[in-house]
Amino acid sequence: MKPVKIAMMSLTHGHTRKYYQTLLENAKLDWVASCAEDQSAKETYELYQTGVPCYLSANEMFERHPDIEAVVLASANDKHLAQVQDCARRGVHVLSMKIPTFDMSEYDAMIAAVDKAGIVCQIELEMHYNPVVHRLKKLIAEGTVGKIVSVQATNITLSPVWAFPWQGVPEASYGRRVPLKAGDARCRGGALCDHPHIFDLVRHLTGADFDFVYSSVAPNLRPELQVEDMLLVNGKLKDGTAFLFDPSWSRMEERLKVPGPGWEVFPKRMEVNVTVVGEKGTLVCDCFGPNVYHNGAPNDRYTVQYTYFDEWIGMIDEFVGCIREGKEPLINLRWHRPTLAAMNACYDSVASGGPCVVS
Amino acid sequence: MAQRARRGIEMDVEGMNTALRRLCDKYGVAVDGRLVADAELAAGVRLEMVGGAVSLLPWRVERRFAELKKLIDGKTLEEVSTLRFAVMRNGARLGHLLYREFDLCEWMAGASIRKTFAVVAGGKVANVIVTFANGMSASVECSAALPEGAAEIDRHEIIARRGVACDRVVDTQVPQASIYAFTADGTKTYTDTDAELFGFSDAEIWAVRAAFAVLKAPALVAEWKKAGCDVKEKVMQTLACAETCVPAVFSEEI
């Protein structure tokens, strides 16, 4: 299989650095160029010494590397529409970060652009390539716990806003400035926008879509943020499955400009735990554990040293396979749309104070 | 397949070789060797290459050990003093258990073992105190006395002037699992660590990863060969000295 000539764009997303190793090592890829959103993103990129040239303009990058076949859009959410349309116009395949856009008219414009160009557009929901999630899906498919009646899940992390400031800016994260609710100075665009995984996963595990959601925000742990950092969600799927999600930024962090050792204050900076209650049994699942643990430098705090990092490998494998074999990615724009509709409904529920039907 | 090795069933060597070829193809590495079952080795397999057989040290590529080693090499831990290693298994050879732990000891300590004093009981348990050339110490607890059907228990703790690291979380005595399934059939656990080799047992996964590491970086052949020979000799002498209740002392070059 001819290696796919790939590039990265913007380099401002929190997941940017996680692609570097697999883009360099996978023989099915030829990482030819990157372009940064600004000088600051370029300087951060250069710390990692990938050896791949980096530009400050997408036009310049595409002009100098006309053989680019695919890009990873590692950008803020409000950049995605223009970038997807630009890539579609150029016939370049796209791997988009996890929130293409929360604006459903923009979302449909992306679908139209991708369809017209006939390109692959995969959405970055990396949990599907995690070996524990693979096992969880297998156990459920084999009927280990019978029909699912309830799913409880956490997708809790530290807040990345100090390293990736756009995640705390409502216009960049949510797409526009929408107050959470009357009398609340905060806007949509915080922790919920960072944590679509469990909303997506529950649809895969059950095969059902959302019926209604109820969501409530708590006082922020970081009162200076313009966006929510603590919220809870419950509701039902259309097959009657009950669920309860915690998609908060409930783990505190050191306010580092570049993520690195000592970022976390709580020992485990990122957790996705899933409990599946079925008619014949219960599964409890830690998608990122067990690991190894230490209390060494730089802060002498008890800290999880992760041993799970396969997600990016499998996701890129699928992306390459879809490009070369003309397949539809598991997480494509159409599949992902109801997930974002449910997340929007969570914000509507926060605003109304009551449950909200997911349309 | 994941539970096979724990039940003492032979490795799926054919499947492992297929997986090895797949990895080599994916990452552009020449397939210059194949795995062959070898019950005389702690790894359970050896890598046959054109230049001869290579004894694999799969634990050196096992993720938890690789991360512990990174914590030492990256100076997250400063001035390591003592290692506290333990392994309990059923149906294993005591020598094989010691072989893995001794090699992990030397690899983590970054120094060779100079002296051991072992107390052995019933041919199934060995409690060893180790002294390294750099002055560090280690305790190594090995037991092949777990009952049939019991899952392996192990623990690797590194104690430094700055920091302690361990592959077991605080306040626990046995390995945790990623998934616990509670059904009418009882409780079953699942821990999957490698998406590219999903479905293989841990022993199979790390053997394939070790073979891949050797094929990718052939310089490992000589390094692992020397390490493996040295450790094998030290295990034999340690167990022999235990019978006479004297320490085993090793010169710099064995």
Side-chain angles (χ1 to χ4, degrees):
Chain A
M1 186 187 284
K2 183 182 159 198
V4 171
K5 301 271 188 187
I6 196 163
M8 290 192 74
M9 289 175 69
S10 287
L11 312 174
T12 53
H13 195 279
H15 289 172
T16 301
R17 70 193 187 286
K18 303 194 175 185
Y19 286 91
Y20 296 164
Q21 189 173 354
T22 193
L23 293 192
L24 288 169
E25 286 187 352
N26 192 327
K28 293 173 183 169
L29 291 170
D30 182 5
W31 183 13
V32 295
S34 299
C35 70
E37 189 70 37
D38 50 34
Q39 185 60 32
S40 172
K42 188 169 187 285
E43 286 169 9
T44 301
Y45 170 81
E46 284 166 351
L47 294 174
Y48 293 90
Q49 300 182 317
T50 64
V52 177
C54 185
Y55 305 90
L56 283 167
S57 149
N59 281 335
E60 184 185 1
M61 180 182 79
F62 282 119
E63 280 169 17
R64 292 205 185 199
H65 301 273
D67 53 351
I68 290 172
E69 298 174 79
V71 295
V72 177
L73 297 184
S75 51
N77 295 343
D78 66 334
K79 306 288 185 191
H80 290 162
L81 175 62
Q83 289 179 329
V84 167
Q85 288 175 327
D86 184 37
C87 289
R89 186 175 56 76
R90 296 174 191 272
V92 171
H93 304 287
V94 169
L95 177 59
S96 168
M97 294 297 104
K98 52 198 172 186
I99 306 293
T101 172
F102 278 110
D103 182 312
M104 288 305 164
S105 61
E106 283 192 0
Y107 202 101
D108 291 336
M110 281 188 195
I111 293 175
V114 166
D115 284 354
K116 185 179 175 191
I119 58 170
V120 172
C121 182
Q122 182 171 339
I123 313 302
E124 183 217 49
L125 287 177
E126 70 276 11
M127 293 299 301
H128 288 284
Y129 315 93
N130 170 294
V132 181
V133 170
H134 194 143
R135 176 70 65 186
L136 180 66
K137 288 181 180 177
K138 189 168 184 289
L139 289 169
I140 290 169
E142 290 168 352
T144 303
V145 293
K147 184 188 179 310
I148 295 172
V149 296
S150 179
V151 175
Q152 297 90 249
T154 59
N155 185 176
I156 52 180
T157 62
L158 46 66
S159 174
V161 296
W162 319 108
F164 309 101
W166 67 266
Q167 291 196 258
V169 177
E171 292 86 347
S173 180
Y174 188 71
R176 59 200 167 100
R177 182 169 285 271
V178 181
L180 282 178
K181 57 185 175 182
D184 196 315
R186 295 170 295 174
C187 292
R188 299 180 180 188
L192 178 62
C193 299
D194 200 24
H195 297 142
H197 303 285
I198 46 182
F199 291 86
D200 171 75
L201 201 53
V202 75
R203 295 176 58 214
H204 280 274
L205 296 180
T206 60
D209 275 322
F210 288 92
D211 183 359
F212 69 89
V213 297
Y214 173 83
S215 183
S216 174
V217 292
N220 271 16
L221 301 183
R222 304 161 188 81
E224 61 272 60
L225 292 189
Q226 300 176 58
V227 294
E228 84 285 355
D229 69 7
M230 293 294 296
L231 75 160
L232 297 166
V233 179
N234 66 0
K236 274 199 169 181
L237 302 181
K238 286 180 177 168
D239 70 348
T241 301
F243 64 86
L244 173 63
F245 294 160
D246 181 350
S248 298
W249 284 333
S250 60
R251 304 310 189 217
M252 296 305 282
E253 64 285 331
E254 295 292 342
R255 298 180 175 189
L256 305 183
K257 294 285 186 196
V258 178
W263 196 15
E264 56 279 274
V265 171
F266 186 80
K268 192 167 188 174
R269 66 174 180 267
M270 179 266 299
E271 167 192 305
V272 178
N273 285 4
V274 183
T275 299
V276 178
V277 181
E279 289 178 343
K280 290 165 43 183
T282 295
L283 298 168
V284 296
C285 172
D286 176 355
C287 299
F288 295 100
N291 293 287
V292 301
Y293 314 87
H294 73 86
N295 70 331
N299 296 326
D300 309 304
R301 294 183 184 130
Y302 195 65
T303 301
V304 170
Q305 174 93 355
Y306 287 92
T307 58
Y308 286 83
F309 27 72
D310 279 7
E311 294 75 31
W312 320 96
I313 298 170
M315 192 171 56
I316 287 290
D317 283 347
E318 187 191 359
F319 186 45
V320 170
C322 288
I323 291 170
R324 284 289 178 258
E325 296 161 30
K327 292 181 189 168
E328 183 88 82
L330 178 69
I331 312 300
N332 56 67
L333 280 170
R334 281 194 173 79
W335 162 266
H336 195 40
R337 197 178 189 283
T339 299
L340 292 184
M343 295 171 73
N344 265 324
C346 291
Y347 280 129
D348 292 342
S349 172
V350 169
S352 71
C356 186
V357 172
V358 180
S359 56
Chain B
M1 199 185 296
Q3 304 298 315
R4 192 176 51 245
R6 283 185 174 181
R7 296 199 306 265
I9 298 172
E10 287 180 1
M11 289 177 165
D12 171 19
V13 179
E14 189 181 337
M16 293 162 70
N17 275 312
T18 302
L20 179 60
R21 286 193 296 273
R22 196 174 67 234
L23 284 179
C24 288
D25 176 56
K26 180 174 175 181
Y27 293 102
V29 172
V31 192
D32 290 336
R34 61 187 298 273
L35 292 160
V36 176
D38 190 336
E40 295 304 309
L41 298 174
V45 287
R46 65 177 187 273
L47 180 66
E48 288 286 354
M49 300 179 72
V50 174
V54 181
S55 296
L56 299 172
L57 305 175
W59 36 89
R60 292 196 183 197
V61 298
E62 189 170 340
R63 288 193 191 174
R64 58 184 170 133
F65 297 132
E67 291 304 315
L68 288 173
K69 174 77 168 155
K70 271 189 211 170
L71 293 174
I72 298 170
D73 293 348
K75 306 293 182 195
T76 300
L77 302 181
E78 295 177 3
E79 299 185 73
V80 175
S81 165
T82 297
L83 312 177
R84 293 179 63 243
F85 290 0
V87 59
M88 291 174 258
R89 204 182 287 175
N90 89 82
R93 296 188 199 178
L94 192 55
H96 284 174
L97 298 182
L98 279 167
Y99 181 87
R100 184 186 84 164
E101 299 309 311
F102 276 18
D103 182 59
L104 280 171
C105 274
E106 292 199 332
W107 188 54
M108 297 280 184
S112 57
I113 293 171
R114 281 297 167 80
K115 184 178 172 186
T116 60
F117 183 75
V119 181
V120 177
K124 284 193 166 184
V125 180
N127 294 322
V128 189
I129 292 177
V130 174
T131 305
F132 298 94
N134 61 6
M136 290 183 199
S137 292
S139 64
V140 177
E141 309 161 37
C142 290
S143 165
L146 275 187
E148 192 177 343
E152 179 177 316
I153 299 169
D154 67 359
R155 180 198 72 240
H156 300 83
E157 184 179 71
I158 302 159
I159 303 165
R161 283 187 179 159
R162 185 177 193 184
V164 173
C166 191
D167 57 358
R168 301 296 165 221
V169 70
V170 66
D171 253 358
T172 58
Q173 298 181 76
V174 296
Q176 305 298 294
S178 300
I179 297 179
Y180 296 82
F182 303 98
T183 69
D185 297 330
T187 303
K188 287 185 182 171
T189 62
Y190 303 85
T191 300
D192 293 284
T193 53
D194 192 317
E196 288 177 306
L197 297 174
F198 184 84
F200 286 102
S201 70
D202 280 354
E204 290 167 332
I205 286 170
W206 305 126
V208 171
R209 287 286 175 197
F212 179 65
V214 168
L215 295 176
K216 190 177 174 187
L220 277 180
V221 172
E223 182 185 331
W224 283 12
K225 201 167 188 174
K226 180 175 186 324
C229 288
D230 287 357
V231 167
K232 186 177 179 184
E233 182 63 27
K234 286 169 184 170
V235 168
M236 286 171 55
Q237 289 192 34
T238 296
L239 291 175
C241 287
E243 292 179 8
T244 54
C245 207
V246 298
V249 179
F250 309 103
S251 61
E252 194 164 352
E253 293 295 329
I254 289 182

